[in-house]
Amino acid sequence: RKEVEQDPGPFNVPEGATVAFNCTYSNSASQSFFWYRQDCRKEPKLLMSVYSSGNEDGRFTAQLNRASQYISLLIRDSKLSDSATYLCVVNRGYSTLTFGKGTMLLVSP
Amino acid sequence: DAGVIQSPRHEVTEMGQEVTLRCKPISGHDYLFWYRQTMMRGLELLIYFNNNVPIDDSGMPEDRFSAKMPNASFSTLKIQPSEPRDSAVYFCASSTVTRGNNQPQHFGDGTRLSIL
């Protein structure tokens, strides 16, 4: 089983739609979880951390299910500018991170 | 505040040549990471440093790859000799620990390396 698995997509959605991505991880000892966003030919940038109780940042909601070892990201009211690849990230050791290969989102007018 | 700075942004060279990638982490960050990204394998950690000391280099593909961090504000990743399969985007990232919690990593713009 891969350390971090994501559906590569692409997810094609119209503007205004709600879209959700899931990610599973294999290391049950992982303590830190993040979603990063990567635009085409750009560097990954932190979108949000994921907390055990779930957290929201504007149109974005992240949730963690430790029992099932999966993380989700929900995007409401999708914008054209949300088109990007979303990377699920889990800590591997004390300081190191394991990145999923990403899920591509395409938002169309 | 300045982010992580990498140079060069693009590098095209012939196989067999030495390639040197450079990185300046965010000031005050004590962790520095080198990653390689390809379509096939995604983002892979090559090596990371803590307080200028290499901690884990298990991701370095082979002896042709080496990395150094002579001081807190500078690191290099060297490939000698380079091969076409080394073509990828190489990212440098830095982070720190605050009140015992790992802070997220911040990435540089990356170096797009093409080995012909």
Side-chain angles (χ1 to χ4, degrees):
Chain A
R1 183 180 176 185
K2 294 180 183 175
E3 288 189 69
V4 179
E5 290 199 71
Q6 297 181 251
D7 181 342
F11 284 58
N12 289 284
V13 301
E15 269 187 295
T18 295
V19 62
F21 309 133
N22 289 329
C23 154
T24 58
Y25 61 95
S26 60
N27 185 355
S28 59
S30 297
Q31 294 295 321
S32 301
F33 308 90
F34 308 95
W35 283 100
Y36 275 69
R37 169 194 170 128
Q38 187 171 23
D39 292 289
C40 187
R41 302 181 70 81
K42 297 283 191 180
E43 76 278 17
K45 290 184 178 178
L46 177 69
L47 178 65
M48 59 196 301
S49 301
V50 186
Y51 302 120
S52 297
S53 54
N55 49 301
E56 191 172 305
D57 183 1
R59 298 180 294 107
F60 299 84
T61 300
Q63 292 197 316
L64 168 65
N65 184 319
R66 286 188 185 272
S68 302
Q69 293 180 211
Y70 83 77
I71 306 156
S72 64
L73 177 68
L74 182 78
I75 306 175
R76 291 181 299 278
D77 189 22
S78 299
K79 312 291 185 191
L80 294 177
S81 57
D82 293 335
S83 296
T85 296
Y86 291 83
L87 306 172
C88 175
V89 185
V90 175
N91 80 303
R92 179 167 62 181
Y94 180 67
S95 307
T96 57
L97 301 177
T98 300
F99 286 76
K101 289 190 177 180
T103 298
M104 183 182 291
L105 172 65
L106 299 172
V107 182
S108 54
Chain B
D1 289 340
V4 176
I5 300 172
Q6 290 187 245
S7 65
R9 291 292 303 276
H10 303 271
E11 174 91 13
V12 181
T13 192
E14 294 186 344
M15 67 177 290
Q17 298 297 307
E18 178 177 290
V19 173
T20 300
L21 311 181
R22 297 172 178 81
C23 176
K24 176 179 167 56
I26 292 172
S27 178
H29 281 191
D30 46 4
Y31 286 88
L32 184 141
F33 306 84
W34 281 102
Y35 291 89
R36 177 172 69 177
Q37 188 174 36
T38 61
M39 288 290 292
M40 288 294 294
R41 301 171 70 91
L43 201 59
E44 302 173 283
L45 177 65
L46 300 177
I47 184 172
Y48 82 96
F49 296 82
N50 178 219
N51 292 322
N52 314 338
V53 176
I55 303 300
D56 183 355
D57 66 354
S58 59
M60 296 285 260
E62 48 197 273
D63 292 346
R64 298 184 297 106
F65 286 68
S66 62
K68 294 182 180 179
M69 192 165 185
N71 57 62
S73 59
F74 183 65
S75 177
T76 60
L77 177 68
K78 193 168 290 189
I79 308 173
Q80 167 63 21
S82 57
E83 296 182 5
R85 62 192 166 121
D86 301 331
S87 298
V89 181
Y90 290 80
F91 288 106
C92 177
S94 70
S95 70
T96 188
V97 175
T98 304
R99 293 190 292 276
N101 293 319
N102 292 310
Q103 299 305 302
Q105 295 177 16
H106 296 265
F107 284 74
D109 291 340
T111 294
R112 297 187 177 279
L113 178 64
S114 295
I115 308 297
L116 306 178

